[in-house]
Amino acid sequence: MSQALRDPHPKGRAKALERSHRAGKQRIPIRVSRTDQLARHPHHLAIHLNNVRHRLPLRRAPIAYGLTVANIEGKATAITVITPVKRGGPLLLWLVFWAGRNMEWTLKKLQTLSFIHFARWAVIKRFPDGREGERLNHTYLLFESNFNGAWEQYIDAFSEVVALRMKAIWGTSLGFPGPLPVEPFKGYIRRNEFVANHYYSAYPGATTTEIVSAARVEAALEELARTSAGLDPDSFGEAYASFLTKLQRDL
Amino acid sequence: MNDRRNTCGQAYGLTVMTPILEGHESALAHYLSTLGTGSASPLASVSGTHFARWVVIGDVVYEGGRQRPEHLRVGRLLFTSNFDGLPEPYLEELRTGLGEVADQVWTHCAGYPGCADADADAFAAYMRSHQIESSLFFAAYDERTVGDVQRSLVTRRRMIEFAVRAQELTPGELQAAFRETFAR
């Protein structure tokens, strides 16, 4: 956690804070309550503290978001990350995502990360406000994922298995340290992550692998029921044994 | 809005970001923290929902370096959902399934029209007008609906129980037990 709390851009942040203080803005302390909950999920505490540390002094009342740990629902974990994009980044992102949508192999690689249920990236050029949208100096990149397993393992796998893709996508974001080594990458994600205030999963007890396995079991079971209808007991016993052998990894 | 970009197989990725009324962030975050979880979550009543979340975004993160310091004028409430089918029927499911909870949540957001029956079109229009298009959406089992997933998980569990139970059975008993357990 200590590494995650370290500021990788001390100079830049110090300058910004100096500018803000010169402008007369006050840093407003954010109260941390329910620390018992946060202490049970140390990485959420790290995210929360980093979000506090890395935001410029707030101009309005402190917000109590992040004080409730709602990122985990059964075996599922939510991750929500919003990063500022470099100048020229939107064009590169357009190319990368075009490739992602049109070249099947790019998404196939994500399937090899067999613990992701759903994931998305979205480029935010204007934050919706019901009119033309609020435009900031930077474009922002939203990433959200629903996965099973621990946060640390998830980022480890991203870093090791799809490192080039992560570099192509987040390499357009300011402050991205690269997917390897993994600790600075984890620190970057933590700083830019927002903890969900409410999270829902329709099947919290199941992992992605279990769901894919269940689909195979169901299909094989239907086939066995159909093809074994007229078999005598001994032949059925053989068909059943073969069925179990075929599905041994899915049960 | 290019809905194809929000789609992977039959699954749809909805991303909605609504402006929070000035000073309402903490009250909204507090209300969301009081909602039930699992089957008690109000989102469990919105059929077709695989995964969904609400996230209060107080402000953008400052990364330092070359990032120009900047703030959102107001915070945003991010709502994302991964669901079956098309957005219009789902938004109606969302309105009717959440009911009063939708009002309790989005009443903290500017311009929210309410979720009464008379406001059905306005509710859908509000969500659509605050929607952000996905650049890339991935679904691991894109053709399987929530119902398909839940049914196959139950089938798998029954199969595991059956396999354990059937270890000591003779071929005749096995066949009879199989028919009894998995007869359609």
Side-chain angles (χ1 to χ4, degrees):
Chain A
M1 190 186 301
S2 60
Q3 186 147 6
L5 293 172
R6 202 174 299 146
D7 186 352
H9 306 291
K11 287 180 185 171
R13 195 168 71 91
K15 280 180 187 171
L17 290 175
E18 194 184 334
R19 277 197 296 273
S20 298
H21 284 301
R22 274 207 303 271
K25 294 170 186 169
Q26 295 296 311
R27 176 175 278 271
I28 302 168
I30 296 186
R31 289 176 290 110
V32 177
S33 60
R34 303 184 69 167
T35 47
D36 55 335
Q37 264 192 312
L38 288 166
R40 283 202 295 273
H41 302 281
H43 98 265
H44 287 115
L45 180 60
I47 292 164
H48 175 68
L49 293 177
N50 276 293
N51 283 350
V52 172
R53 282 163 51 86
H54 285 265
R55 285 187 180 116
L56 287 170
L58 298 170
R59 292 177 301 182
R60 48 184 176 269
I63 303 159
Y65 66 84
L67 299 184
T68 301
V69 177
N71 265 24
I72 298 170
E73 172 67 0
K75 291 180 180 175
T77 304
I79 193 167
T80 311
V81 180
I82 301 177
T83 50
V85 176
K86 296 172 186 170
R87 301 259 170 255
L91 179 62
L92 289 172
L93 284 172
W94 185 89
L95 286 168
V96 170
F97 291 135
W98 180 87
R101 290 192 302 270
N102 294 286
M103 297 177 187
E104 204 172 289
W105 57 270
T106 54
L107 279 184
K108 284 279 178 203
K109 191 75 179 175
L110 277 183
Q111 278 175 329
T112 65
L113 297 177
S114 56
F115 42 78
I116 302 175
H117 296 280
F118 293 89
R120 80 187 64 170
W121 280 271
V123 175
I124 307 174
K125 290 185 175 165
R126 292 172 185 267
F127 286 83
D129 61 3
R131 297 184 296 277
E132 74 279 5
E134 182 181 357
R135 186 163 198 167
L136 299 182
N137 287 314
H138 296 276
T139 293
Y140 284 79
L141 178 63
L142 166 70
F143 171 66
E144 84 136 41
S145 180
N146 305 270
F147 61 96
N148 51 262
W151 188 95
E152 298 268 347
Q153 291 168 339
Y154 182 72
I155 303 298
D156 283 341
F158 254 35
S159 173
E160 287 163 17
V161 182
V162 286
L164 280 177
R165 286 164 180 78
M166 293 306 99
K167 199 169 181 179
I169 293 172
W170 272 315
T172 61
S173 283
L174 285 155
F176 178 64
L180 289 168
V182 73
E183 283 308 322
F185 180 41
K186 284 179 182 172
Y188 182 74
I189 298 299
R190 283 193 185 102
R191 287 197 306 279
N192 291 282
E193 184 178 359
F194 290 82
V195 176
N197 297 81
H198 182 78
Y199 183 44
Y200 169 74
S201 166
Y203 26 85
T207 65
T208 312
T209 306
E210 285 166 344
I211 291 166
V212 172
S213 290
R216 280 197 289 262
V217 169
E218 189 177 50
L221 200 54
E222 279 174 9
E223 189 187 348
L224 177 65
R226 194 179 64 251
T227 56
S228 67
L231 297 180
D232 60 71
D234 286 337
S235 300
F236 177 81
E238 286 172 17
Y240 178 77
S242 164
F243 162 84
L244 280 188
T245 305
K246 186 176 150 193
L247 289 178
Q248 57 185 331
R249 291 188 172 191
D250 292 319
L251 292 173
Chain B
M1 182 65 54
N2 184 349
D3 274 330
R4 282 182 57 197
R5 291 188 182 176
N6 299 319
T7 305
C8 185
Q10 63 85 48
Y12 189 98
L14 177 72
T15 309
V16 172
M17 211 180 245
T18 47
I20 301 171
L21 293 168
E22 189 87 33
H24 282 234
E25 288 97 338
S26 294
L28 173 57
H30 174 73
Y31 176 73
L32 291 170
S33 72
T34 64
L35 296 177
T37 56
S39 58
S41 166
L43 291 163
S45 305
V46 184
S47 63
T49 308
H50 290 261
F51 293 88
R53 73 187 69 174
W54 277 294
V55 188
V56 174
I57 309 287
D59 204 348
V60 291
V61 173
Y62 178 62
E63 261 297 317
R66 291 183 178 178
Q67 183 181 5
R68 289 174 67 179
E70 57 185 351
H71 295 279
L72 285 171
R73 206 162 48 229
V74 290
R76 294 296 195 282
L77 174 64
L78 173 68
F79 173 70
T80 65
S81 179
N82 304 272
F83 62 86
D84 299 324
L86 299 169
E88 265 65 35
Y90 181 76
L91 289 174
E92 180 60 6
E93 278 289 333
L94 189 68
R95 183 185 73 82
T96 55
L98 288 180
E100 193 183 304
V101 173
D103 280 347
Q104 294 291 331
V105 171
W106 278 295
T107 197
H108 292 287
C109 294
Y112 175 65
C115 76
D117 288 345
D119 300 319
D121 290 344
F123 179 87
Y126 181 72
M127 294 297 156
R128 286 295 234 169
S129 66
H130 290 83
Q131 188 178 351
I132 296 170
E133 183 179 281
S134 301
S135 300
L136 193 62
F137 177 52
F138 168 77
Y141 22 88
D142 48 9
E143 296 301 338
R144 300 184 69 73
T145 65
V146 173
D148 291 338
V149 171
Q150 290 175 332
R151 190 195 57 244
S152 59
L153 285 169
V154 169
T155 302
R156 178 175 176 265
R157 195 174 65 239
R158 286 174 64 211
M159 186 60 231
I160 291 170
E161 289 165 1
F162 179 84
V164 172
R165 203 170 70 236
Q167 287 181 73
E168 305 298 323
L169 300 180
T170 64
E173 291 168 337
L174 174 68
Q175 190 172 32
F178 182 85
R179 283 178 179 159
E180 189 187 331
T181 307
F182 298 107
R184 296 275 162 181

